[in-house]
Amino acid sequence: MTFSLIARCPTTGMYGVGAATAMPAVGKLLTHAHPRTGAIATQARLNPYIGIDGIRLLKEGRDAAEVRDILAATDPRAPARQFAVIDRQAGTASWTGVECIPWAGAVAGEGFSAQGNRLAGPQVLEAAAEAFRASAGKTLDERLMEALEAGDRAGGDKEGEKSATIYIVDQEEYPLWDVRVDAHRDPFGELRRLHDIFSRELLPEIKRMPTRLNPAGSAEEHEA
């Protein structure tokens, strides 16, 4: 009941996940990413431990295909799951269990993977992938936004979408972007509105926050 993208920005090394679904609060449990490590999207009969354990395996230096194989082999409900992995070399691997509601599948490209289930058809992921490729040179948040919007225009979830999210990590252990629409009649329009507010008002503040290398943060940091 979801379609998503995972990606690594070739310029900045950021990892991101974008997703939309007919269920509320897609951003709560689907998105998993760690700086300089990789990202995972877990969906269908969602198992959060696929993301949690998958990030741990990526931290051990395993590549995306090995992580996928381990996760699929150790989950007793793997036929009902769908997930995708991107590693520190930007390699990708995906899993679509045989019990996922059709249309279900994945489309991979250089530095990204798009996957979904209960979609209007393969054109949803093809449109999302094409939009992501066509936006090369833009920021990762914008590329994920445009890919989600393109997938929605191509039919999206057969039951329509209710929630959407953009989640991105840069160099710190806290996210650079974490924008969520938990329940809305137009989740893409609302996500775009929040994205623009976040970009204008909050992103500059996050960039001034303490980092591991600069625990004091910027002198210009504002109080919450």
Side-chain angles (χ1 to χ4, degrees):
M1 299 177 285
T2 303
F3 73 97
S4 66
L5 290 93
I6 56 171
R8 180 182 184 275
C9 176
T11 302
T12 65
M14 295 180 188
Y15 288 93
V17 184
T21 184
M23 298 294 289
V26 66
K28 178 67 175 178
L29 298 171
L30 180 147
T31 55
H32 300 264
H34 192 80
R36 300 176 298 280
T37 300
I40 297 175
T42 172
Q43 54 204 53
R45 293 290 183 183
L46 192 155
N47 177 0
Y49 283 107
I50 285 176
I52 294 167
D53 293 344
I55 292 295
R56 175 181 53 79
L57 292 168
L58 288 170
K59 287 181 179 179
E60 293 173 358
R62 301 175 190 269
D63 65 26
E66 186 178 8
V67 171
R68 176 206 51 207
D69 293 345
I70 292 171
L71 295 172
T74 55
D75 187 334
R77 291 294 312 281
R81 315 290 189 205
Q82 185 176 52
F83 62 91
V85 184
I86 186 166
D87 59 33
R88 65 186 64 194
Q89 285 80 37
T92 64
S94 64
W95 170 270
T96 299
V98 296
E99 296 176 15
C100 288
I101 301 172
W103 192 87
V107 174
E110 185 175 356
F112 78 92
S113 176
Q115 45 285 325
N117 58 90
R118 203 179 71 178
L119 301 181
Q123 72 274 10
V124 175
L125 300 185
E126 291 166 1
E130 180 55 33
F132 190 83
R133 294 188 188 100
S135 64
K138 296 184 179 181
T139 58
L140 183 56
D141 58 282
E142 183 61 33
R143 298 185 74 188
L144 291 171
M145 276 292 320
E146 293 184 10
L148 289 176
E149 290 166 340
D152 176 54
R153 290 193 297 270
D157 188 317
K158 286 191 290 189
E159 299 298 321
E161 291 85 16
K162 182 180 293 184
S163 66
T165 188
I166 298 289
Y167 185 87
I168 294 173
V169 296
D170 189 6
Q171 298 300 307
E172 302 307 313
E173 294 157 65
Y174 54 81
L176 182 65
W177 287 81
D178 187 1
V179 183
R180 306 179 187 181
V181 176
D182 284 343
H184 200 277
R185 290 182 179 179
D186 179 15
F188 296 100
E190 180 67 1
L191 188 66
R192 171 60 74 178
R193 186 184 74 84
L194 294 176
H195 168 276
D196 293 348
I197 293 172
F198 187 100
S199 179
R200 183 175 63 250
E201 300 181 18
L202 185 57
L203 186 62
E205 293 296 323
I206 292 176
K207 290 182 175 180
R208 288 192 285 263
M209 288 180 178
T211 68
R212 289 297 189 191
L213 293 178
N214 179 20
S218 168
E220 299 176 354
E221 182 185 358
H222 296 159
E223 292 186 5

